[in-house]
Amino acid sequence: MDNRKITGKKEKSRRKIMHAAKYLCEKNGIENVTFHDIAEEADVCRTTVFNHFASTDQLMIALFCQEIEDIDEYCSEINCSGMALIEAVFDKLIEDTAYYPVLTYKIASSTILRGGGEEKSLSYIEKMIADNLPRQYREQKELYTVAIMGAYYGLVNHYHSLHKHFDAEQMKEEFHQLLRLIFGGGEK
């Protein structure tokens, strides 16, 4: 049998499992989802889920790494840099957060608490920010990076704590306002 077919089938199965897990975790809460539930939703056997992911924690890490990869691919496709890239990164992240607000927040929080280690983690996004800051802000790039990441987490936390509807367009607009505040309302 052709190895490309095996790899393609395996990757398709993995993505199907991850999609089912995202849906169920958002719908029922991470703590209320079992591998049996995921297998049923993905229309695969439970063993197949275990063949891809040894634990729920491993599945959550894979979901988060996939999110980072999706953002990276998106940024490559739109081919921009500087503040336009920073805005694009967070626009995409906010869109995904609005679609899966509880899951995205919990996965990001647990990744922060657990620390990096994965090839594509939050540190990858932070590096994208630092590398794309306008020249005049690069001397204090760590502080600006922290401020931008903090603006995203603050916005998401604000929506969660006030039980506001996660409207991606509204959240993106508010995030862009926060960016203008961070950069003194000046030109980007």
Side-chain angles (χ1 to χ4, degrees):
M1 183 179 257
D2 187 357
N3 282 340
R4 287 176 295 187
K5 283 184 181 179
I6 294 170
T7 304
K9 185 177 178 182
K10 187 173 182 174
E11 182 59 28
K12 187 176 180 180
S13 174
R14 179 181 167 86
R15 286 190 179 266
K16 203 170 164 184
I17 291 165
M18 290 172 65
H19 181 72
K22 282 172 77 171
Y23 169 76
L24 290 171
C25 288
E26 189 62 37
K27 180 181 170 197
N28 302 329
I30 293 171
E31 57 281 341
N32 298 319
V33 176
T34 66
F35 274 17
H36 175 78
D37 299 332
I38 294 168
E40 195 171 285
E41 182 68 28
D43 197 27
V44 298
C45 68
R46 194 168 151 244
T47 307
T48 303
V49 177
F50 279 106
N51 286 338
H52 288 281
F53 307 101
S55 66
T56 306
D57 193 47
Q58 191 181 63
L59 174 59
M60 293 302 117
I61 290 169
L63 288 172
F64 188 73
C65 289
Q66 184 63 52
E67 175 68 19
I68 302 297
E69 286 178 30
D70 290 347
I71 289 170
D72 191 32
E73 279 179 33
Y74 172 74
C75 290
S76 294
E77 288 171 12
I78 61 170
N79 193 26
C80 63
S81 61
M83 286 303 294
L85 178 83
I86 292 170
E87 290 174 350
V89 165
F90 284 96
D91 284 352
K92 177 75 171 122
L93 190 56
I94 287 168
E95 285 173 9
D96 294 346
T97 301
Y99 197 68
Y100 296 109
V102 174
L103 180 63
T104 303
Y105 190 71
K106 284 187 178 186
I107 290 173
S109 298
S110 69
T111 304
I112 290 168
L113 294 174
R114 186 183 316 107
E118 299 83 42
E119 182 181 319
K120 299 244 175 144
S121 65
L122 287 173
S123 61
Y124 186 80
I125 289 180
E126 288 188 8
K127 183 172 175 4
M128 287 176 77
I129 294 167
D131 290 348
N132 283 280
L133 284 169
R135 278 196 181 105
Q136 68 266 37
Y137 302 106
R138 288 188 188 155
E139 195 171 298
Q140 294 182 304
K141 66 182 177 185
E142 285 185 25
L143 289 175
Y144 280 102
T145 299
V146 168
I148 294 168
M149 293 296 289
Y152 165 74
Y153 284 113
L155 182 64
V156 172
N157 189 54
H158 174 72
Y159 271 74
H160 274 297
S161 64
L162 295 179
H163 305 288
K164 290 176 80 171
H165 171 69
F166 278 69
D167 178 310
E169 294 308 312
Q170 178 65 34
M171 291 177 76
K172 286 192 277 187
E173 184 179 313
E174 290 175 20
F175 185 79
H176 287 253
Q177 290 172 0
L178 290 168
L179 282 179
R180 286 192 293 277
L181 284 173
I182 291 167
F183 292 100
E187 288 298 311
K188 297 175 228 162

